[in-house]
Amino acid sequence: MRCGGRPLYRRRMQAARPHADGVPQRDVPQRAGLVLASLIVVAGVANLNLSVANVALPDIGKSFDASQTMLDLIAVGYSLGLAASVLWFGALGDRYGRKLMIVAGMALSIPACLLAGFAPSSGVLFGARLLGGLAAGMAYPTTLALVAALWSGPARTKSIALWSALGGGISLLGPMIAGLLLEHFRWGSVFLVTLPLVAVALVAAIMFVPAHVNETTEPVDNLGGLLSAVLVGSFILGINFAPVPNKGTLTLVLFGVAVVAIMLFVRRERRTREPLYDLTVAARPTFWVAGCAGVIVFGSLMGAAYISQQYLQNVLHYSTLQAGTAIIPAGLFMVVVAPRSAKLVQAHGSRRTLLAGQSFLVFAFVFMLLLWKEGTPYWQIAIPYCLLGIGVGLSGTPSSNSLTGSVPVTRVGMASGTADLQRDLGGALMTSIFGALLTAGYASAMGAAIAQSGTQVTQATQASLELSYASATDLASQHPHYASQIAAAAQSSFLEGDQWAYVAALVAILLGMALVYRFFPKREAELALHEGYLTADRVPTPGPPARMPLPADA
């Protein structure tokens, strides 16, 4: 039976319809509520681990006397591990079992959390964060892949909205939880807090997540996966080292590796019979535009959280708990708005919903640029956070839903990997850019402040002052006679650096809006394109079948 061109179903009552690849599929799986809850908890582990470090960065900097660059690396390490691995691990899940990848990822999260919690040095902490990101790379993309494989039609859009909203909400609870812990325990406690949630996610995944749903038997392009990891890793590290003095050669080498890796990756994917990343599918406008927009949207959220936590503690002198709690409005608005964005997508299309969300992000960063100064009251802090939550809540669902709706179900790992890549690469990219600009702006402003003061300082002292805010405050504690001058210079220099970051965010979001406005199809064209993709993906290719999905109940 059809109504308005769409098939009608009763949950688990009527016959299942054939999917594009011939696999019977219902609108929702059996025990849908438990399955979705399990997948959201698994995603919550990744989201919580992603955000807990930001509040602890000032304490970590003091504990290890870390440079701003090392703090940037610690902040970006988790998302770097995720971004470098999601495409590869998503393909492995499509081939060898998505449930297996979830269970393996949750199991590996346990030693990663323990290593981070008890890290003896900043270098080990960065390594532990990177390992945790790789563990999340196994599990996190698989959650969206299963949502796309198990749900269909409007039920899929609503499930993705819940997945996006609750996952994002959990990530923004991270700073509050971390702040509460830091009031009573050392900084390592923030990396141990996710262990109970890992245990719950592991048990729920084993009990409720179905195995072998619309998976493929085609081989995995492991060489392409390795090249994608090298590409993302070298590019993100290059951005982080770019503003560091005496690291010019290393920066050029890293960017050179990234350029070679992307050339080899594109060549490999065009020539291999079973590509890791189907460039033909990726060229679909509902896929690549949504992916690029998502990188900017989610990257702006994570970059803003990274900068703002340091601003609240370093400049406004918030306690860790106050700083962590301050971001709650963003999480609340995200959770409230995201489910409603599903209705907007159905009524008005992804393009209009994406543009609406991006508009709120523009206002958020304009307010940060204009209002976030020394002595700013909290209500002026809360306004940009609210706008940020609304913007991400509106944008997340159309972006992820458009990606998963543009690929065959047996390659949904590619779509979910891209959906996760837009979050993780966006987070790593924007946090790295924000951090690099903060580092450069801070060092420039501090150098100018030293020159204007007329005070003669040694080269070593100037280098320490320009290293980071934490290094400057540590030096101030060693020289109490100059403590007030050093503190004032450090605060003003930090404010100069974060202004650079907010301007960069505005430029990026405006470019994203131009991209969506110019290239993403309007609602009617979007629906027609998706129908065309569905028809094209049904057509068998000559020769041996390219996709051999397993039965849903295998």
Side-chain angles (χ1 to χ4, degrees), residues 10-180:
R10 295 183 184 273
R11 183 183 302 178
R12 300 169 56 190
M13 295 292 288
Q14 296 184 3
R17 65 171 173 80
H19 196 270
D21 295 283
V23 179
Q25 183 173 340
R26 297 179 175 87
D27 268 352
V28 297
Q30 296 185 10
R31 300 191 297 181
L34 289 173
V35 174
L36 184 59
S38 301
L39 296 175
I40 289 174
V41 172
V42 171
V45 171
N47 282 308
L48 192 59
N49 271 322
L50 193 64
S51 61
V52 292
N54 289 333
V55 180
L57 287 176
D59 285 354
I60 292 170
K62 293 175 184 176
S63 178
F64 295 127
D65 192 24
S67 67
Q68 185 64 50
T69 299
M70 179 52 71
L71 294 179
D72 295 344
L73 289 172
I74 292 170
V76 82
Y78 197 88
S79 56
L80 173 59
L82 260 169
S85 63
V86 288
L87 294 180
W88 193 0
F89 291 167
L92 289 172
D94 283 351
R95 172 63 180 85
Y96 297 107
R98 300 182 184 117
K99 180 173 183 175
L100 175 63
M101 294 297 287
I102 286 179
V103 172
M106 291 297 96
L108 186 58
S109 294
I110 296 173
C113 290
L114 291 171
L115 183 60
F118 298 103
S121 68
S122 57
V124 173
L125 178 55
F126 168 68
R129 294 284 289 166
L130 189 63
L131 178 63
L134 293 173
M138 296 179 182
Y140 190 54
T142 311
T143 59
L144 182 58
L146 281 169
V147 171
L150 291 167
W151 281 264
S152 62
R156 176 193 286 176
T157 305
K158 292 177 182 177
S159 298
I160 289 175
L162 282 172
W163 175 87
S164 177
L166 294 178
I170 290 173
S171 72
L172 291 178
L173 283 177
M176 183 186 69
I177 296 170
L180 181 61

Side-chain angles (χ1 to χ4, degrees), residues 182-203:
L182 291 170
E183 292 287 306
H184 304 285
F185 306 102
R186 64 186 291 273
W187 58 263
S189 61
V190 304
F191 302 112
L192 304 176
V193 70
T194 53
L195 287 175
L197 190 61
V198 171
V200 173
L202 188 57
V203 172

Side-chain angles (χ1 to χ4, degrees), residues 318 371 376-384:
Y318 279 29
L371 300 180
T376 299
Y378 176 70
W379 69 269
Q380 293 182 1
I381 303 296
I383 289 174

Side-chain angles (χ1 to χ4, degrees), residues 12 118 127 196 219 264 402 432 458 499 544:
R12 300 169 56 190
F118 298 103
L264 292 175
S402 184
S432 297
T458 65
Q499 295 282 298

Side-chain angles (χ1 to χ4, degrees), residues 245-279:
N246 304 318
K247 296 293 183 181
T249 301
L250 175 61
T251 301
L252 290 175
V253 169
L254 288 168
F255 283 138
V257 170
V259 170
V260 172
I262 193 170
M263 292 171 62
L264 292 175
F265 179 77
V266 171
R267 184 173 183 267
R268 168 71 180 177
E269 300 312 290
R270 284 179 174 173
R271 294 193 175 190
T272 185
R273 182 178 178 183
E274 304 294 349
L276 174 80
Y277 205 74
D278 191 329
L279 297 179

